[in-house]
Amino acid sequence: MTRFDPAQVMTAGCLCFRTRRLSRLITRAYDEALRPTGLQATQLTLLNAVAMGGADGQPMPRLTSILAMDATTLSRNLRPLEREGLIGIRQREDDRRARVAWVTPAGEARLEAALPFWRQAHSRIEAALGPDLADGLREGLDAAAGALSN
């Protein structure tokens, strides 16, 4: 066994290696397109997940589930959006132990401003992948996330 055999064994079939590489490539494309909005792709993902909660907001446990993040990481990643006034976080009225995040009017405006830049990046990525691979990737990723969420 040579010094690099373990690395070769692990990377040959490693789903983590491949998904992280793909994630970095896709994230880079969105980050470049979103630069004029002042948002990074990761922040836009968080903002969209919060916005999906509508006017009532998104409970933190639901956000951790949607984003597959632990509560501490989620809170740390939401702080910059809250500091920038794009989201608000409050305790639930019916359960003071639970917190809810909602998108502020400034956050709604930022999402609206980001949409054309997101569309540009999204179109570029889909064109590079082709419709069959893009659809298959979406379906495969959703199925894998569902299987691993149980």
Side-chain angles (χ1 to χ4, degrees):
M1 182 179 270
T2 70
R3 180 173 162 213
F4 296 105
D5 282 349
Q8 290 171 344
V9 168
M10 286 187 275
T11 58
C14 186
L15 295 172
C16 184
F17 181 87
R18 285 173 171 74
T19 56
R20 292 192 52 86
R21 179 178 60 193
L22 178 60
S23 177
R24 284 188 291 273
L25 290 167
I26 290 174
T27 299
R28 185 179 312 141
Y30 281 103
D31 279 347
E32 289 171 7
L34 291 167
R35 191 168 286 122
T37 71
L39 289 171
Q40 295 175 331
T42 53
Q43 293 173 313
L44 184 61
T45 299
L46 289 167
L47 197 53
N48 281 321
V50 172
M52 287 170 36
D56 293 333
Q58 196 73 276
M60 291 297 181
R62 177 78 180 125
L63 282 173
T64 61
S65 176
I66 290 169
L67 298 165
M69 276 185 180
D70 64 81
T72 302
T73 303
L74 175 63
S75 292
R76 184 176 56 248
N77 286 306
L78 288 175
R79 267 189 226 115
L81 296 175
E82 186 179 26
R83 273 195 307 268
E84 204 171 328
L86 303 179
I87 65 165
I89 299 174
R90 67 174 182 269
Q91 292 177 325
R92 285 180 51 166
E93 292 179 20
D94 61 333
D95 182 356
R96 302 307 250 168
R97 295 169 296 165
R99 296 182 319 143
V100 175
W102 77 96
V103 176
T104 65
E108 290 173 9
R110 187 74 66 91
L111 278 173
E112 195 68 37
L115 184 58
F117 298 100
W118 175 88
R119 281 189 173 135
Q120 176 188 46
H122 187 73
S123 294
R124 227 181 292 133
I125 291 166
E126 289 222 333
L129 295 175
D132 291 340
L133 182 54
D135 287 342
L137 187 57
R138 261 189 295 277
E139 290 171 16
L141 291 170
D142 288 345
L148 294 173
S149 293
N150 298 329

